[in-house]
Amino acid sequence: MAEITTDILLACNDENRRGGIKRVFVINKDDISSFTASGSDHSYTAVTLSTTDDKFYEIEGELETKLYSSEGSRENGSISYETSLEVFAPKMEKVKAKGINSYIESCGLVVVFETYNKETSANKAFVLGFDEIMGKDAAVNAMANEVLEAELQGQNGYTVTFAGKQAQLLREFVGSIETNSSGTVSFGS
């Protein structure tokens, strides 16, 4: 049983919080060896990839079209969280369809997503699809919906949903990842 050791107090800067997801990075769960959990807070400070060739891949979505949510439940003494991250990628086309299809056909994904929320000059990021209880078994699966509306100014694109189940709340990621398109990306402080 966990002992309560932390106050949850609101500071003035909590009044100025910012939502919004900035960037989303995806990797196959089998390309992850481990995350390093901080001993002092609910965060990860590093990720170890299976090989030096493994990288995170970015999925860009339009501003204010990315959404994360979770719903917790407690049954038979266990706690779990149903998680969902949605990203809208505009304009249906073969290159995007191929990339999105690779997410759908994977055997599980781990996602690091960056938010606009910051306390310093660095944005916060969170890990979805990995936790300290389930490890890689918390990996998410992807599904996509397509829309091509009739009117000229209608929607045209893919909504990609990464969904899964975790045994813990998301951990903040304070560290760096190697990406395919952006090189080394650092989060937090």
Side-chain angles (χ1 to χ4, degrees), residues 47-152:
V47 59
T48 304
L49 302 180
S50 297
T51 72
T52 55
D53 293 334
D54 293 330
K55 293 182 179 10
F56 283 82
Y57 291 84
E58 186 170 358
I59 176 171
E60 285 187 335
E62 288 184 330
L63 181 65
E64 297 184 344
T65 64
K66 299 174 281 297
L67 168 71
Y68 170 77
S69 64
S70 73
E71 185 175 329
S73 67
R74 182 186 296 257
E75 295 178 29
N76 298 320
S78 295
I79 299 169
S80 65
Y81 299 90
E82 295 287 337
T83 61
S84 177
L85 173 66
E86 290 183 2
V87 178
F88 181 76
K91 192 176 178 191
M92 290 172 54
E93 59 187 7
K94 62 186 175 188
V95 174
K96 288 181 187 138
K98 181 180 179 190
I100 291 168
N101 202 55
S102 70
Y103 300 157
I104 294 167
E105 292 178 350
S106 76
C107 293
L109 301 165
V110 175
V111 178
V112 173
F113 64 92
E114 180 182 22
T115 72
Y116 287 100
N117 186 16
K118 61 175 73 178
E119 293 169 358
T120 63
S121 61
N123 292 330
K124 291 181 185 274
F126 296 93
V127 176
L128 173 64
F130 192 98
D131 68 30
E132 288 302 291
I133 295 172
M134 296 175 65
K136 290 192 271 188
D137 290 339
V140 295
N141 292 306
M143 185 50 59
N145 294 315
E146 302 168 301
V147 62
L148 185 55
E149 293 181 344
E151 62 271 6
L152 289 175

Side-chain angles (χ1 to χ4, degrees), residues 21-43:
I21 296 173
K22 184 175 181 179
R23 296 189 289 181
V24 176
F25 299 94
V26 181
I27 193 167
N28 284 308
K29 73 176 185 177
D30 293 335
D31 294 342
I32 301 267
S33 292
S34 65
F35 278 91
T36 303
S38 169
S40 63
D41 59 22
H42 195 73
S43 68

